[in-house]
Amino acid sequence: MKQSSSSDAVTGASAHSARLARFALVGLTGVAVNLGVLHALAAGLRVPEIAASALAIEASIVSNFLLNDAFTFRDRRGGGGVARRLLRYHVVSAIGVALQLGTFSALALAARHLLGRPELGAWRYPAQLAGIGLGFAWTYAGSLRFAWVDGSSAGAPRPRSRSREAALPRVIFLAVLALHVLPIWLVAYVPTQDGPLHVENTLALIHHAASPLLQRYYLANWGAQPNWLTQLLLAPLLAIFSGPTAEKLVLTGYTLLLPLAFRSVLPRGARGWWAALAVFPFVHAFPYHMGFWNFSWGLALALLAAGFFLRTRGRLDPARFAVLAVLSVLLYLAHLVAFAGAVLAVGLVLGFRFWLSWRRAGDDASRRRAVVRGYGRRLGAGALTVLPGTALVTAWILAHRDKAEARIPLRELAAKLATGYAMVSIDRREIPLAVLVVLVLFVTVVHLVLVRAGRGPRFRPNDGWLLAALAFAVLYFAVPDVVASGAHVSDRLALFSFLCVAAWIGTGAVPRVAVKRSAVALATIAVVALGVRFDKQRQLSGLMEELVSASRAIGEDRVILPLALAPFGPRDVNGRRLGYRIKPFLHGASWIIAENGGVELKNSQANTDQCPVMWPKDRNPFRIIASSLGRMEGVPPCVDLRAAPRLGAIDYVLVWGATRENLDTPCGAALATELAQRYEPVFLSQPRGLLEVWRPRTATASR
């Protein structure tokens, strides 16, 4: 028997090696296709390098799929038709594409910044090869485990009723997923608070080396700080698409990735697809509408890393180790909270499984030693994959430990957690829906605990998710809301806690009908919330179009000072703030800069050291004309335009949403007086007249 098992293991390893070799051989042909198309487009047709890289990658993906489908995985084609396998292969390749494009873009930007080369030239090929190498390990693992399912059971057709039953939750999941993507593309501008700044600052970094204007006002920030991921995603997209379209593509990628990543932590089969519906209330939550793109992508990557590690049971061969190491680097580049959340969740779930196995070993010393050895190897391998990121996180926190901290009162924190306030963003009508989400989760947990108690009080391996949810809840109350230059930490930790509860519900050995009812209820609430938010998004997008209409009057490469006196937008019919929790017009002028170029003096991301560009200390408008971030972004802003000459020439001042109410305040009155004395109006937006554009008077400008 042992000899037979050993023989089977050798045969399996040999088959796996042969498949890996075929995959690598196909990959080599893909490299040839990739580089050939890149050369034809960039060198032959003079297509911009980053655009040529994107098209070359897509060509190699299609080529690799066709060859792998016929050659590498021909015995695993039982999972649907060619179109479905191609779609799955594209999903698997998405992260590989991000790695390739990000690597190529980073090297292109580095060459432009460090070497002064406008193009990579002959170095474009090594740059492309570097991205290809990083994506290889990820693509093979995903192809084997997702794109091509095991065909061993494909020959035994299931009864039609069972097949339909298994397909139903998947269809519902994909339909709800499509509904969440649709609103992104039905408005001209997705209303967020910080989103436009990401686009503006990515473009500023791209053009910094070739622009004397940008060099005069900004310093390029090439440090190893977090929050790079969004810029790496936007950089190649902005070479092809407009700013709003590039942003929508980034948002679409996140909206697709988070539910699929949550699905990866759940059981296979119909049960897992039903349970996956529970994720949708958390997709377009508060961080999404705040424009916290890096955290949003980090949240999705944290779930993806947890699902990958736990599905492999922590047994990491070289390929799996490489995939997890890449994910850990991406997590650091996304956001510190997302990185820490992934490490904490995986550590607690795996640690709980270790404790449970140790407990079940009883007094058997040999079994306990085996448990320690097995879990020690898994925890050790996992720790090695996150070691570089952990070192970077530690260094960053130590360097910023003296930054200002702010805490929310305990009662307010408790009320926000109990009402699911982290899911509320742009409309008050989201509040009862968020309360319903928390209520569904609470009732489901109580019900499942009672069912478990009736069967005898026994711990299960998935209970680690509940332990992780409790840990995030404790951190929610313990960690300041503003710490180490990061804000709204409580909302981020609350989302982690809720998602861990949903994962516990979906992974437990509990009645399937309870999981199904809970998940369907949560998905229904999410769809209703989509409708509520879309109604508000249409209104806010229309107002943003009015703001951006000033770009024609301002012209290209100007220095502007936008002052949002109504950052939430005008009051609604009930006299309430239109944006509710977010200020969609606080950085709306960034779209003008993204379209026309130039410098925007209220660029708050440049007031930090964790974004692509920074203000020089002697030319920081937040210090010179406002003295602080709070005064610059106050309602109304408190700025001293008399100090503006210390910054250089200001071509235009943009005043959004001035009303008698805010102009009667001391800061508003001072602003109105200074504008009347030194500036003249040159543009009034239509149809509501919400934006006024002022320029220095000729006599004032000549002094």
Side-chain angles (χ1 to χ4, degrees):
M1 180 67 74
K2 290 183 178 179
Q3 184 177 1
S4 176
S5 299
S6 176
S7 176
D8 290 344
V10 171
T11 302
S14 176
H16 181 76
S17 298
R19 191 188 302 278
L20 179 59
R22 293 197 298 270
F23 188 83
L25 183 60
V26 170
L28 287 176
T29 68
V31 171
V33 171
N34 197 320
L35 297 180
V37 172
L38 177 67
H39 176 74
L41 294 176
L45 300 178
R46 305 303 299 169
V47 174
E49 286 181 327
I50 294 178
S53 172
L55 294 172
I57 290 169
E58 174 60 22
S60 67
I61 287 175
V62 175
S63 171
N64 286 352
F65 169 78
L66 294 174
L67 291 174
N68 279 320
D69 197 55
F71 180 53
T72 310
F73 301 107
R74 60 181 179 272
D75 58 328
R76 300 172 64 92
R77 295 187 296 187
V82 174
R84 178 179 294 183
R85 292 195 297 277
L86 179 60
L87 177 61
R88 287 181 173 182
Y89 186 68
H90 269 82
V91 171
V92 169
S93 300
I95 292 180
V97 168
L99 284 170
Q100 291 186 47
L101 279 175
T103 302
F104 189 91
S105 302
L107 292 174
L109 291 173
R112 187 177 301 171
H113 173 72
L114 300 175
L115 305 177
R117 297 172 61 101
E119 292 185 347
L120 284 170
W123 287 97
R124 67 172 69 103
Y125 307 110
Q128 193 79 336
L129 284 170
I132 291 169
L134 286 175
F136 177 80
W138 171 269
T139 307
Y140 177 69
S143 298
L144 186 66
R145 300 179 181 279
F146 179 69
W148 282 273
V149 297
D150 191 351
S152 59
S153 60
R158 291 179 294 178
R160 180 169 298 182
S161 59
R162 288 185 59 192
S163 178
R164 289 178 178 175
E165 181 183 355
L168 179 60
R170 186 178 304 180
V171 171
I172 295 174
F173 178 89
L174 293 175
V176 179
L177 186 61
L179 285 176
H180 278 73
V181 171
L182 192 60
I184 297 173
W185 297 95
L186 292 180
V187 294
Y189 296 93
V190 179
T192 67
Q193 183 164 311
D194 288 355
L197 279 178
H198 290 299
V199 176
E200 176 190 352
N201 287 318
T202 302
L203 288 169
L205 184 64
I206 291 172
H207 300 301
H208 184 270
S211 170
L213 176 65
L214 293 174
Q215 291 174 16
R216 186 161 68 249
Y217 281 92
Y218 288 133
L219 299 174
N221 186 18
W222 292 96
Q225 68 272 9
N227 294 337
W228 269 111
L229 184 60
T230 293
Q231 282 71 39
L232 291 175
L233 293 173
L234 281 171
L237 295 174
L238 288 169
I240 307 171
F241 304 104
S242 67
T245 301
E247 181 194 52
K248 290 178 181 180
L249 289 170
V250 170
L251 295 182
T252 300
Y254 155 73
T255 301
L256 293 173
L257 182 60
L258 181 64
L260 292 171
F262 182 74
R263 175 66 184 88
S264 73
V265 308
L266 301 172
R268 293 180 171 87
R271 176 192 179 85
W273 286 107
W274 282 119
L277 295 172
V279 73
F280 286 107
F282 311 105
V283 176
H284 291 171
F286 176 70
Y288 172 89
H289 287 97
M290 278 295 293
F292 295 161
W293 302 151
N294 286 299
F295 172 76
S296 297
W297 272 84
L299 183 63
L301 290 172
L303 290 172
L304 192 64
F308 179 81
F309 187 80
L310 296 174
R311 281 204 175 194
T312 61
R313 299 179 179 271
R315 298 183 176 95
L316 302 180
D317 58 23
R320 291 171 177 175
F321 184 92
V323 170
L324 199 61
V326 169
L327 280 173
S328 69
V329 171
L330 290 175
L331 274 166
Y332 172 77
L333 292 176
H335 201 273
L336 295 184
V337 174
F339 179 90
V343 173
L344 181 62
V346 172
L348 287 175
V349 173
L350 194 64
F352 187 85
R353 291 181 180 179
F354 163 69
W355 174 81
L356 193 58
S357 297
W358 171 274
R359 188 167 176 260
R360 289 175 178 175
D363 296 329
D364 190 329
S366 62
R367 289 183 60 190
R368 285 194 168 186
R369 284 195 298 271
V371 168
V372 171
R373 285 196 302 270
Y375 277 93
R377 285 194 296 267
R378 298 173 197 179
L379 288 170
L384 283 176
T385 63
V386 300
L387 187 60
T390 302
L392 289 168
V393 168
T394 303
W396 178 265
I397 292 176
L398 290 176
H400 294 77
R401 63 184 183 276
D402 58 339
K403 296 295 184 180
E405 294 185 357
R407 290 185 178 273
I408 298 176
L410 187 62
R411 288 185 178 180
E412 184 179 342
L413 278 174
K416 288 176 63 178
L417 187 64
T419 57
Y421 208 54
M423 291 172 273
V424 178
S425 52
I426 63 173
D427 199 295
R428 290 176 177 270
R429 292 173 293 176
E430 295 175 86
I431 296 176
L433 297 174
V435 172
L436 278 177
V437 170
V438 176
L439 187 60
V440 169
L441 289 175
F442 177 76
V443 170
T444 304
V445 169
V446 171
H447 171 68
L448 298 183
V449 168
L450 292 175
V451 169
R452 287 262 299 268
R455 299 175 179 177
R458 190 177 69 175
F459 291 111
R460 305 268 171 75
N462 75 302
D463 289 342
W465 284 110
L466 209 54
L467 181 63
L470 179 62
F472 283 117
V474 171
L475 291 174
Y476 171 85
F477 288 102
V479 177
D481 193 54
V482 178
V483 61
S485 298
H488 297 286
V489 176
S490 60
D491 288 297
R492 306 171 200 256
L493 292 172
L495 286 178
F496 266 107
S497 186
F498 289 135
L499 285 168
C500 286
V501 172
W504 177 79
I505 293 171
T507 55
V510 294
R512 175 173 166 179
V513 66
V515 175
K516 178 179 176 180
R517 289 172 179 172
S518 170
V520 169
L522 292 172
T524 302
I525 296 170
V527 171
V528 175
L530 269 181
V532 169
R533 287 192 291 262
F534 181 62
D535 178 56
K536 183 63 66 68
Q537 287 168 340
R538 287 191 303 108
Q539 298 178 54
L540 295 172
S541 176
L543 294 172
M544 187 63 73
E545 290 184 77
E546 180 174 338
L547 188 156
V548 178
S549 68
S551 61
R552 298 188 299 273
I554 291 173
E556 297 183 353
D557 294 324
R558 301 296 185 179
V559 178
I560 65 173
L561 174 62
L563 300 173
L565 278 68
F568 296 96
R571 300 280 180 174
D572 63 16
V573 293
N574 297 313
R576 295 172 174 170
R577 298 184 308 202
L578 196 61
Y580 190 47
R581 288 190 72 190
I582 69 166
K583 303 173 182 177
F585 304 100
L586 183 64
H587 304 298
S590 292
W591 290 126
I592 297 176
I593 297 298
E595 181 178 341
N596 291 357
V599 174
E600 181 232 325
L601 296 176
K602 205 182 67 176
N603 183 349
S604 60
Q605 287 188 353
N607 195 41
T608 72
D609 61 351
Q610 51 187 303
C611 292
V613 293
M614 298 187 300
W615 299 115
K617 291 183 179 180
D618 61 345
R619 201 183 288 270
N620 187 334
F622 287 80
R623 297 180 180 180
I624 293 173
I625 65 173
S627 76
S628 71
L629 174 67
R631 289 175 61 85
M632 179 73 89
E633 296 186 351
V635 182
C638 290
V639 296
D640 182 7
L641 294 181
R642 294 169 299 179
R646 293 170 55 190
L647 295 170
I650 296 180
D651 295 311
Y652 295 99
V653 176
L654 281 63
V655 180
W656 169 265
T659 64
R660 177 54 54 192
E661 177 185 359
N662 50 41
L663 290 178
D664 283 342
T665 64
C667 290
L671 174 63
T673 299
E674 188 66 20
L675 286 173
Q677 291 178 351
R678 295 174 174 266
Y679 295 81
E680 60 183 359
V682 295
F683 177 83
L684 182 67
S685 66
Q686 299 298 326
R688 302 186 62 167
L690 288 169
L691 180 70
E692 304 169 14
V693 177
W694 299 70
R695 70 182 176 194
R697 296 182 185 275
T698 304
T700 303
S702 64
R703 287 201 293 266

